[in-house]
Amino acid sequence: MGEEKASEAATLTVEGMSTPILRFNKANITEGESVTATCLALGETGSLLFSFYDNSKEVENARVTSNELTFVPKGVGNHIIHCSYLVFVMPNSFKSQTSNTVTLTVEELSIEPVLKISPQDNVYEGDTVNITCSVSNVTKDYQAGELLLSQDTELLKSGKTSIHVNWTAHARTPMLTIKCRLYLRDVVKVVNKTISVSELFSVPTLKISALEVFQEDEISLTCRSEKLSYDRLEGEFFIYSLEPFDYHMVHKGNGVFIGKAKTIDFNYTCTVAAKGIKKKSKVLTIHPKVPVSTPKIWVSGSAILGRKVEIFCLSDTGTPPITYTLWKANKQNQIAIVHEFNKAANFTIVINEPGRLNHYLCKASNGNRTPEQSDKLQTAVIEPMTEAYLMVVPDVDDISEGHTVILICSFLGTPPVTVRWLRDSDDLNPLKTTTTNINTTSYEFVVNKEHTDNYYCQAENRANSVESNKINLVVGMAMWKKLLIPGTIILVVSSLVMVGFILFTRSRRGKRERAAELSVKPASPKSDDSLTVTLTHDTEVYNAATDAASFCDDKEGRVTNGTRGSVASLPADISNRSSYSIPATV
C-alpha cells in the first residue's frame, strides 16, 4: 500500500572461535637472522586476519591474511611471541583469544667493527691522520657485510672487511667525530671516536679601512687570521686571494688589497691558504655612498619684508642621510637632516632687512667630506606697499569742461606695481589699469560735466595693496558757455525792448486812425467810382489797406478831402474785428 516499516536491529554474536596455536621454525637465532612464525586457527574458514606480537608489541607490518610471517626480531635476548586472529562478519569483526606464547632467543653476533686512529692526540689541521675501520672475529662462514667510514656527515670510504684512510685533518669544529659502521643483514653496529684538531690559523676576516666609502674612493681591504700556531707553521708563507677577482684591486702583500670603490654595491671574500689548508672569510658587502652634489637654494613664494619665508636647500644626488646647514653672513644659522632621497631641507626665517637675501647660502654633507656649498640666494625682498598719494593737474578749482586733466598717483613699495584708477560712482570697474616699475604713474583724460566725482588710485604689488587719498573733481562750465549766457540775455532784452517799442508805436498810430475816421463823412457812392474792400483778418486788413493805398497812389487818385496819396483812415477798432467794409471814392 506504499508504506514501509522496519524491524528493530538484532545483534549476531559469533562464539566458539578456536584458540590459535603459535609455532616457530627456530627457537634460537643470531642477530640479523630471520625466523618464520605460524599461527594456526583450526576449523576456522572465511575471511581471517592474523596478528603477531613481540613482547606484547605488535610486530611491524605483521597483520596479514596468511597465517605465516617471516621477520627479523630486533635486539639481543629473549623475545616472547604470541598471535591472534580476526573473523570478519560484515560490517563487524570478532577477535579470537590469544594463542600460546613462544620464547625466541636472539644471540649477539660475535663480530664487531673496529676503529683505529693514529695519531689521536695533539693533532693540527693539515696533519695526516691514519684511520682504519675493520671487522673483528671474522669466521669462515662470515657473510660479508658493508663497512662505512665517515667523519660527521662526510663519507670517507666504504668496504667489506677492512678500510684504511690517510686523512688530512681539518678544524671546522673543535671536536671531530669519526664513525665506523658495519651493516650485516638487518644489523647495524657502530663504533665512534672523537679527536681534537687544533687550528693552524683561524678563519680570516676581511675588513675595509674606512668607516664609510664613497663612489670612486681609494679603499684598502685587509685579510687577516687572528689566531696563528707559529710553532707548527714553521715559517710557512700564507697565500692570500680576493674573490671575485677584480682588476681594480691590487694585492700589496700581507693580505692587503688597494683599489677604487665601485659605483654600485659589491661583495668581496678573501681566502688564506697554508700547508694545504684553505679558509675563506665571510662576505664583506660594501655600500659605496653617492657624494652630494652642489646644492641649490631657493625660497618658497615671495620674500616679503617683515614676514616669514621658507628657504629650501636640495642636492640632486647624494646618499641620505644628508645634513643641510643654512649660513647667514658666514655664520651658521640652522641645521636640518634629511633621511629621504630627493627631499629638500627647509628653513624658516623672518625677513627684517630690505634689499636682497644674498647673505644666505646653504651647505650639504653626507659624510666625512668637505661640504658642498650652494650659490648665494639671489631673491629680492619685496617691500609692502606703505603709502599711495593722488594729486591732480591743473588745480581742482581751475577745471572746466574740455580741459585735459592729469591724475598723478605716487606710492612706496617694491615694483612691479599694478595701479588702478577708480571713482566712487563705479569702484568695481577701473578707469584704467597699468603696471609700472617706477614709483609714480599718471592717468590723463579730457573732462566733461559727467566726470564730476571722487577719484582715487589703488597700488598693488606682490605683498599687498593700498588706496590713495580721494580727490573731489568738480567740472565747471566751458568758457564759451559762460560768454554765451550774458550775450543771450542782452539779445533777449533787446528783442523785448524792440517788441515793446513796436507795440507802443502801433498803439499810437491806431489811436490817430480812429480819430481820423470819426472826422470823415460818408458821400453818396457812384456805381463806377466806388471801391469796397473787405478784410477778413487783422493782418490781412492791414495788408489790404496798404495795397489799396499803393493802388490809389499809382492811379494818382484823390480822396474826398483833396489830399493826394492818402486813403481813408482805418477803423479804430480794426484789431477787434474779423471783417469790415470801407467805402472809398477814387
Side-chain angles (χ1 to χ4, degrees):
M1 301 299 292
E3 295 184 3
E4 293 183 2
K5 288 187 178 182
S7 67
E8 295 181 357
T11 302
L12 176 63
T13 301
V14 179
E15 297 179 351
M17 297 169 60
S18 62
T19 301
I21 301 171
L22 179 61
R23 294 178 181 174
F24 276 93
N25 62 341
K26 297 178 183 179
N28 297 289
I29 60 174
T30 57
E31 281 184 290
E33 188 177 353
S34 62
V35 64
T36 301
T38 303
C39 188
L40 299 175
L42 299 178
E44 298 295 341
T45 60
S47 179
L48 304 178
L49 183 64
F50 293 90
S51 299
F52 295 85
Y53 299 88
D54 182 358
N55 293 330
S56 300
K57 184 178 180 181
E58 188 174 3
V59 177
E60 188 176 355
N61 298 324
R63 184 170 289 192
V64 293
T65 56
S66 172
N67 64 347
E68 286 191 359
L69 175 66
T70 299
F71 67 100
V72 177
K74 294 182 179 179
V76 177
N78 293 329
H79 294 257
I80 307 301
I81 312 296
H82 70 272
C83 70
S84 65
Y85 64 91
L86 293 174
V87 176
F88 289 96
V89 179
M90 298 305 292
N92 299 316
S93 63
F94 301 91
K95 188 176 182 179
S96 70
Q97 296 179 354
T98 300
S99 72
N100 59 305
T101 60
V102 176
T103 301
L104 178 65
T105 302
V106 180
E107 297 179 356
E108 186 178 3
L109 280 173
S110 60
I111 58 176
E112 294 284 346
V114 178
L115 177 62
K116 294 181 180 180
I117 300 175
S118 178
Q120 192 168 350
D121 299 322
N122 199 27
V123 177
Y124 282 82
E125 56 182 352
D127 289 352
T128 299
V129 179
N130 297 316
I131 304 175
T132 301
C133 178
S134 60
V135 180
S136 65
N137 302 325
V138 177
T139 59
K140 292 181 180 180
D141 59 349
Y142 167 70
Q143 296 179 355
E146 184 77 18
L147 284 174
L148 298 178
L149 179 62
S150 63
Q151 185 267 309
D152 293 332
T153 59
E154 179 185 0
L155 179 64
L156 300 179
K157 196 172 183 181
S158 63
K160 295 296 183 181
T161 58
S162 181
I163 302 171
H164 181 75
V165 173
N166 292 324
W167 177 66
T168 301
H170 61 78
R172 295 172 187 159
T173 58
M175 300 296 293
L176 301 179
T177 300
I178 308 297
K179 294 183 178 181
C180 179
R181 289 184 177 88
L182 172 61
Y183 291 88
L184 181 61
R185 297 191 292 268
D186 289 337
V187 178
V188 179
K189 294 200 172 189
V190 182
V191 59
N192 299 332
K193 286 187 177 181
T194 59
I195 60 174
S196 175
V197 179
S198 301
E199 287 185 317
L200 278 175
F201 53 91
S202 59
V203 175
T205 302
L206 184 61
K207 295 181 180 180
I208 189 168
S209 57
L211 294 177
E212 58 182 10
V213 177
F214 287 88
Q215 294 176 344
E216 303 295 333
D217 272 2
E218 292 287 340
I219 60 173
S220 174
L221 303 179
T222 303
C223 185
R224 285 282 187 272
S225 292
E226 301 298 331
K227 296 180 181 179
L228 300 175
S229 299
Y230 294 102
D231 55 335
R232 298 297 296 268
L233 287 171
E234 299 174 351
E236 183 79 15
F237 290 103
F238 288 95
I239 300 174
Y240 297 93
S241 60
L242 193 64
E243 297 178 8
F245 173 76
D246 191 345
Y247 65 90
H248 289 293
M249 304 301 296
V250 179
H251 187 204
K252 291 297 184 179
N254 200 25
V256 177
F257 300 86
I258 296 177
K260 282 190 174 183
K262 298 180 180 180
T263 57
I264 57 174
D265 293 355
F266 54 98
N267 299 327
Y268 282 122
T269 59
C270 73
T271 302
V272 179
K275 296 190 72 172
I277 303 298
K278 287 185 178 181
K279 293 186 179 182
K280 182 180 288 189
S281 69
K282 293 181 179 180
V283 175
L284 172 65
T285 301
I286 301 176
H287 305 279
K289 299 173 70 173
V290 179
V292 293
S293 59
T294 300
K296 297 176 292 186
I297 187 170
W298 73 95
V299 299
S300 174
S302 300
I304 300 173
L305 184 65
R307 300 184 190 176
K308 292 182 179 180
V309 68
E310 284 190 335
I311 298 178
F312 289 89
C313 185
L314 174 66
S315 292
D316 290 331
T317 58
T319 302
I322 301 176
T323 301
Y324 292 97
T325 307
L326 181 68
W327 291 76
K328 178 183 179 182
N330 298 323
K331 291 184 180 180
Q332 183 173 300
N333 187 276
Q334 297 180 45
I335 295 177
I337 300 176
V338 176
H339 295 271
E340 300 175 28
F341 282 100
N342 202 31
K343 182 178 180 181
N346 63 304
F347 307 95
T348 301
I349 65 169
V350 177
I351 303 175
N352 296 318
E353 301 174 7
R356 308 187 72 84
L357 297 177
N358 53 11
H359 45 283
Y360 283 97
L361 58 84
C362 72
K363 296 181 181 181
S365 173
N366 64 342
N368 191 19
R369 280 188 161 198
T370 302
E372 294 290 334
Q373 180 174 303
S374 72
D375 294 331
K376 291 183 178 180
L377 190 60
Q378 295 300 321
T379 303
V381 176
I382 299 173
E383 297 184 41
M385 305 301 299
T386 57
E387 183 181 358
Y389 179 74
L390 181 66
M391 60 181 295
V392 62
V393 175
D395 189 83
V396 292
D397 296 331
D398 299 331
I399 297 174
S400 58
E401 291 179 295
H403 279 186
T404 298
V405 173
I406 302 174
L407 298 178
I408 301 172
C409 186
S410 302
F411 38 81
L412 294 177
T414 300
V417 177
T418 299
V419 180
R420 299 176 183 86
W421 307 90
L422 302 159
R423 57 193 294 184
D424 280 352
S425 60
D426 190 7
D427 57 359
L428 297 179
N429 298 306
L431 300 171
K432 180 183 178 182
T433 300
T434 185
T435 300
T436 179
N437 288 318
I438 58 177
N439 61 356
T440 184
T441 185
S442 62
Y443 170 47
E444 181 177 334
F445 61 101
V446 177
V447 298
N448 55 40
K449 292 293 288 183
E450 295 178 354
H451 287 108
T452 297
D453 208 337
N454 289 323
Y455 289 83
Y456 61 98
C457 64
Q458 184 184 77
E460 179 181 6
N461 66 1
R462 288 167 288 173
N464 65 335
S465 65
V466 293
E467 290 184 358
S468 72
N469 57 300
K470 292 185 178 181
I471 291 181
N472 184 18
L473 189 64
V474 178
V475 180
M477 188 179 296
M479 184 59 67
W480 67 270
K481 290 184 178 180
K482 293 180 180 179
L483 296 176
L484 180 61
I485 290 173
T488 303
I489 292 173
I490 294 172
L491 179 62
V492 170
V493 171
S494 301
S495 299
L496 292 174
V497 171
M498 184 177 295
V499 171
F501 177 76
I502 293 173
L503 292 177
F504 176 76
T505 305
R506 287 178 61 185
S507 176
R508 293 193 62 179
R509 188 175 63 179
K511 290 179 179 180
R512 288 195 303 268
E513 288 177 351
R514 283 195 298 273
E517 182 181 3
L518 294 175
S519 63
V520 177
K521 294 182 178 179
S524 298
K526 293 180 179 180
S527 59
D528 54 350
D529 294 333
S530 62
L531 174 64
T532 301
V533 180
T534 302
L535 302 179
T536 60
H537 194 272
D538 292 346
T539 306
E540 292 177 353
V541 169
Y542 173 78
N543 290 339
T546 305
D547 292 341
S550 298
F551 177 79
C552 293
D553 185 56
D554 290 338
K555 297 299 183 177
E556 295 184 354
R558 297 182 181 272
V559 293
T560 55
N561 58 4
T563 304
R564 185 175 180 263
S566 63
V567 293
S569 300
L570 293 175
D573 59 348
I574 187 171
S575 59
N576 297 321
R577 297 181 184 180
S578 62
S579 65
Y580 54 88
S581 296
I582 302 175
T585 301
V586 181

